[in-house]
Amino acid sequence: MTTPLHRTPLYAVHVALGGKMVPFAGWEMAVQYPDGILKEHEANRKGCSIFDCSHMGEFLIEGDAVLSGLDGIVTQAIIDQPVGTCRYGMALNDRGGVIDDLIVYRLAQEKWMVVVNASNIEKDAAHFRKHLTSKSKFMDISFQTAKLDVQGPLSRDVLKAFIPGVDALEYYTFATFNVLGQDVIVSRTGYTGELGYEIYYPWAKAEKVWHAVMADKRVRPTGLGVRDVLRVEVSYPLYGHELSEDISPAEAGLKRFVDVSKDFVGRDAFLRREKEGGRKIIHFTSENRRAPRQGHILFAPDGYVIGDVVSGTFSPALGVGIGIGFLKKEFTSVGKDIIFGDEKIKVNAQAATRPFYKAGSLKN
Amino acid sequence: MEIVEHYLYTKEHEWISIEDGVGVIGISEYAQSTLGDITFVELPNVDVEVEQFEQLTALESVKAASDIFSPMSGRVVEINDKVSEDPGLINRSCYDKGWIAKIEISNMDEASNLMTASEYESYLESLDRGGDTESEE
């Protein structure tokens, strides 16, 4: 018997809404609601959608950026990070592979929140504890912190009705607001490519804030199923797909989030692997509605195996299948025409530029 | 869960409706609701011979790919082009407008290997009781 699944504080709310609950990263999560993934997609891209992401991990760290050891754990620059802003980056292992991708929030001059993937909370916490110094305080607040993602072109309009001032937030910044008597952190961040916000607040208030957002009839609940479709459409990486302990940020096309002018765990290995060259991430579109899937193989037009698929879905925005894969080191300069499939199917595809979906309201 | 009375069903949730030696084939309400929004339908070629319970074609939903097996042996005589243009038709009308193919049945005795509507209903209940076959991530 495996360990029982965790439930977010909104579990009963999802069940009441008809959410289809499935295991994900050790949690019982809503993969979709009765309207279905296509309607949920439309709600996000054209209106406002809400995701319960309370399964994700949050760490609080106190201390100086460098003396605490935090700067030596994450790949992105944080010394010059202004209070009230977020920065995306990764934590690497000694081999230059990715332990996790994460966002650092600078809460105060010497106070930080780090947001990590649900599947990696334990591993990350151990890594942080190992590399943080005695000049730091570390707290894992994952199991007491609820997180709601309110995303879509109408999200600003929805939230400002009961969170005055939220509309002033710039992309990748955050602030603390009092919502229904509770201090919450709202950041202008997300995982869909649309204008959107993430709200962090105590577990005990989970339902109260959810219902406050849902009181606006324009808001639709959306599940992890469409969340994956949306993130693939805008080519955001997902740990376990585009990122893993064996994949270097350079291979995943995330070099710009690695500041090699500072020292951090995995820096030398990262530079060595970059010099040696490695696999290369490729984005591609199917010639029809058939979707590539994780585990599919990538072939050259002559049938030669050149790589594999790590993410894929039908794209409601493009009307065709879209996929992300890795080309083997020897085949990083293939032409535009490729084929994806397995022993049963072969589908013609074309290399594409990221993101697949370019019309998002992200920076509106 | 809607089940049509005079159709016959497979354990893989296909249905067949037989009239004058021709069988119309589609997927059940249970299948379409489990799959979710269907986004791709591969239609078989006309004139292809299929064996009972062997692969007839394939469907994809946003999250998964799924093979469709032929409830009986026969030769494909007609395919429903409408579902390849509009795969959601299967979600909206799985027992009627969302049919997939018609076959000329080669062995009528094979019908005894299929479930009647009431047998299929009991089968679905048994799945609900614990034979859970969820496969989504």
Side-chain angles (χ1 to χ4, degrees):
Chain A
M1 191 63 204
T2 49
T3 33
L5 296 168
H6 302 296
R7 287 177 175 178
T8 80
L10 292 163
Y11 177 83
V13 171
H14 303 310
V15 171
L17 285 165
K20 188 169 163 186
M21 309 305 287
V22 302
F24 175 82
W27 293 76
E28 216 172 340
M29 304 294 292
V31 67
Q32 65 170 84
Y33 297 88
D35 277 353
I37 290 180
L38 296 180
K39 286 262 169 56
E40 291 177 30
H41 179 275
E42 191 182 338
N44 172 274
R45 292 264 179 256
K46 293 185 178 152
C48 183
S49 74
I50 183 171
F51 300 88
D52 172 17
C53 296
S54 304
H55 60 311
M56 289 183 72
E58 295 87 8
F59 302 151
L60 276 185
I61 293 152
E62 284 179 38
D64 173 78
V66 176
L67 296 179
S68 69
L70 180 60
D71 188 53
I73 296 175
V74 299
T75 59
Q76 69 269 48
I78 60 166
I79 294 171
D80 64 344
Q81 180 175 345
V83 172
T85 65
C86 314
R87 280 190 185 169
Y88 175 83
M90 284 149 282
L92 305 187
N93 59 30
D94 294 336
R95 295 174 286 117
V98 180
I99 291 175
D100 205 357
D101 62 336
L102 45 81
I103 298 180
V104 173
Y105 287 63
R106 191 167 203 165
L107 304 176
Q109 185 61 27
E110 299 203 345
K111 196 169 179 190
W112 319 78
M113 180 169 78
V114 180
V115 181
V116 302
N117 284 296
S119 52
N120 293 333
I121 294 173
E122 265 180 62
K123 174 179 88 167
D124 292 346
H127 182 74
F128 273 72
R129 285 199 168 99
K130 181 176 166 193
H131 292 283
L132 287 171
T133 67
S134 58
K135 293 193 169 59
S136 70
K137 257 170 69 181
F138 174 87
M139 230 179 19
D140 179 357
I141 55 165
S142 303
F143 285 82
Q144 62 200 65
T145 307
K147 172 173 169 305
L148 295 184
D149 290 20
V150 182
Q151 305 276 313
L154 298 180
S155 58
R156 181 191 284 129
D157 207 44
V158 167
L159 290 187
K160 77 177 185 194
F162 69 101
I163 312 180
V166 80
D167 46 324
L169 283 180
E170 301 281 344
Y171 183 58
Y172 256 61
T173 69
F174 68 91
T176 302
F177 297 89
N178 191 284
V179 176
L180 310 167
Q182 175 67 50
D183 277 348
V184 308
I185 290 175
V186 182
S187 60
R188 195 168 143 199
T189 48
Y191 199 46
T192 68
E194 298 298 335
L195 172 70
Y197 301 85
E198 296 178 281
I199 309 174
Y200 299 86
Y201 60 105
W203 203 278
K205 298 286 172 81
E207 289 204 15
K208 216 172 163 183
V209 179
W210 169 280
H211 291 306
V213 180
M214 286 287 287
D216 189 317
K217 292 298 162 215
R218 295 172 296 178
V219 182
R220 307 301 308 166
T222 43
L224 292 185
V226 76
R227 190 169 165 84
D228 189 58
V229 173
L230 293 161
R231 72 96 192 163
V232 175
E233 283 188 335
V234 289
S235 314
Y236 290 167
L238 175 61
Y239 199 84
H241 295 254
E242 289 74 25
L243 298 172
S244 79
E245 297 267 352
D246 295 319
I247 298 169
S248 134
E251 293 175 316
L254 300 174
K255 208 176 120 181
R256 66 189 180 284
F257 300 107
V258 181
D259 175 15
V260 293
S261 73
K262 66 170 198 173
D263 197 22
F264 55 88
V265 180
R267 174 184 177 272
D268 295 346
F270 169 81
L271 287 172
R272 192 189 67 241
R273 286 174 69 163
E274 197 191 4
K275 204 167 140 194
E276 288 169 4
R279 291 162 290 188
K280 187 180 161 198
I281 198 161
I282 180 171
H283 299 80
F284 58 94
T285 53
S286 169
E287 69 172 355
N288 58 32
R289 298 173 65 96
R290 192 155 221 167
R293 308 282 175 186
Q294 184 174 34
H296 275 168
I297 306 293
L298 292 174
F299 305 92
D302 62 6
Y304 212 82
V305 174
I306 54 172
D308 58 349
V309 176
V310 292
S311 292
T313 181
F314 170 73
S315 164
L318 276 67
V320 294
I322 57 175
I324 305 173
F326 284 101
L327 296 170
K328 295 184 195 182
K329 190 176 166 180
E330 317 85 87
F331 301 109
T332 51
S333 55
V334 290
K336 237 175 132 55
D337 294 323
I338 57 167
I339 294 165
F340 70 85
D342 54 22
E343 64 285 346
K344 281 167 74 175
I345 60 157
K346 301 280 183 294
V347 183
N348 291 323
Q350 283 232 310
T353 55
R354 69 175 298 278
F356 295 104
Y357 178 67
K358 297 172 169 58
S361 57
L362 184 68
K363 304 206 174 154
N364 285 8
Chain B
M1 196 70 68
E2 192 197 345
I3 299 173
V4 178
E5 196 53 50
H6 60 281
Y7 289 6
L8 296 172
Y9 298 85
T10 70
K11 286 189 171 175
E12 303 285 347
H13 310 287
E14 294 92 7
W15 55 260
I16 187 165
S17 148
I18 304 170
E19 208 179 307
D20 298 335
V22 171
V24 185
I25 296 167
I27 65 168
S28 73
E29 173 73 15
Y30 179 90
Q32 77 77 17
S33 73
T34 305
L35 281 167
D37 291 318
I38 294 166
T39 51
F40 173 80
V41 183
E42 180 186 49
L43 289 170
N45 291 322
V46 172
D47 277 346
V48 158
E49 297 278 348
V50 289
E51 298 287 321
Q52 186 175 37
F53 303 141
E54 291 198 350
Q55 189 176 348
L56 172 69
T57 184
L59 297 181
E60 291 188 6
S61 64
V62 181
K63 296 305 292 171
S66 181
D67 289 340
I68 303 301
F69 302 94
S70 185
M72 294 176 75
S73 304
R75 182 175 62 89
V76 175
V77 291
E78 198 179 334
I79 50 176
N80 186 4
D81 288 322
K82 289 204 178 79
V83 295
S84 72
E85 290 152 25
D86 175 16
L89 193 55
I90 297 180
N91 295 111
R92 300 194 301 274
S93 178
C94 67
Y95 290 122
D96 182 20
K97 295 194 177 75
W99 62 276
I100 294 166
K102 293 183 186 177
I103 61 168
E104 193 177 79
I105 296 166
S106 57
N107 181 1
M108 212 52 91
D109 295 344
E110 289 176 347
S112 60
N113 301 330
L114 301 172
M115 288 178 275
T116 62
S118 65
E119 286 164 345
Y120 182 61
E121 195 172 1
S122 311
Y123 174 67
L124 291 184
E125 282 165 13
S126 77
L127 291 183
D128 276 348
R129 278 198 306 271
D132 194 12
T133 54
E134 289 289 343
S135 62
E136 286 182 56
E137 281 176 23

